[in-house]
């Protein structure tokens, strides 16, 4: 099974700044400071060297489905990324 196949069932589609659909793979849910963050990787970068991940905060309101929000705080981004790196150290190479 290729790396892409391993994440095929966890694909989501989000809109970029221009309104274009971009496919992402859900990699991990990280709980940090009583909040939920989702780590995603763009489909095009899943196996590319030097690829990047996207970290978004997942917020639910009542019974409705949650929404993903950008995270601007660099300290939170780094802390969540550190958890992700530790959890995936045997799967991905980190620079």
């Amino acid at each position: 099974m290729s790396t892409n196949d391993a994440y095929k069932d966890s694909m989501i589609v989000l809109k970029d700044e221009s309104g274009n659909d971009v496919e992402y793979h859900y990699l991990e849910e990280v709980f940090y400071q009583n909040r939920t963050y989702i780590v995603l990787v763009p489909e095009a970068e899943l196996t590319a060297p030097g690829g990047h991940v996207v970290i978004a905060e997942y917020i639910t309101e009542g019974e409705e489905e949650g929404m993903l929000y950008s995270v601007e705080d660099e300290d939170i981004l780094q802390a969540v990324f550190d958890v992700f790196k530790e959890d995936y150290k045997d799967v991905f190479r980190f620079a």
Side-chain angles (χ1 to χ4, degrees), residues 10-25:
S10 59
M11 186 177 293
I12 64 171
V13 178
L14 301 175
K15 300 273 186 199
D16 67 11
E17 307 83 34
S18 302
N20 300 313
D21 288 346
V22 179
E23 294 179 330
Y24 290 88
H25 290 276

Side-chain angles (χ1 to χ4, degrees), residues 4 14 18 23 25 37-38 44-45 49 52 56 70-72 80 95:
N4 282 348
L14 301 175
S18 302
E23 294 179 330
H25 290 276
Y37 298 91
I38 305 298
E45 297 186 28
H52 74 282
S70 297
V71 179
E72 303 297 326
V80 172

Side-chain angles (χ1 to χ4, degrees), residues 24 40 55 58 66 75 79 88 91:
Y24 290 88
L40 305 165
I55 297 172
Y58 183 74
D75 292 333
Y88 277 75
V91 178

Side-chain angles (χ1 to χ4, degrees), residues 6 14 23 25 34 51 56 67 78 86 94:
L14 301 175
E23 294 179 330
H25 290 276
N34 296 319
M67 298 283 294
Q78 188 61 55
E86 179 61 27
F94 297 98

Side-chain angles (χ1 to χ4, degrees), residues 12-65:
I12 64 171
V13 178
L14 301 175
K15 300 273 186 199
D16 67 11
E17 307 83 34
S18 302
N20 300 313
D21 288 346
V22 179
E23 294 179 330
Y24 290 88
H25 290 276
Y26 168 94
L27 295 178
E28 182 172 27
E29 188 172 286
V30 174
F31 298 101
Y32 178 74
Q33 294 184 343
N34 296 319
R35 293 178 182 244
T36 303
Y37 298 91
I38 305 298
V39 182
L40 305 165
V41 63
E43 164 71 19
E45 297 186 28
L46 187 59
T47 58
H52 74 282
V53 297
V54 173
I55 297 172
E57 185 174 3
Y58 183 74
I59 299 175
T60 58
E61 295 182 18
E63 298 288 320
E64 294 188 27
E65 188 173 323

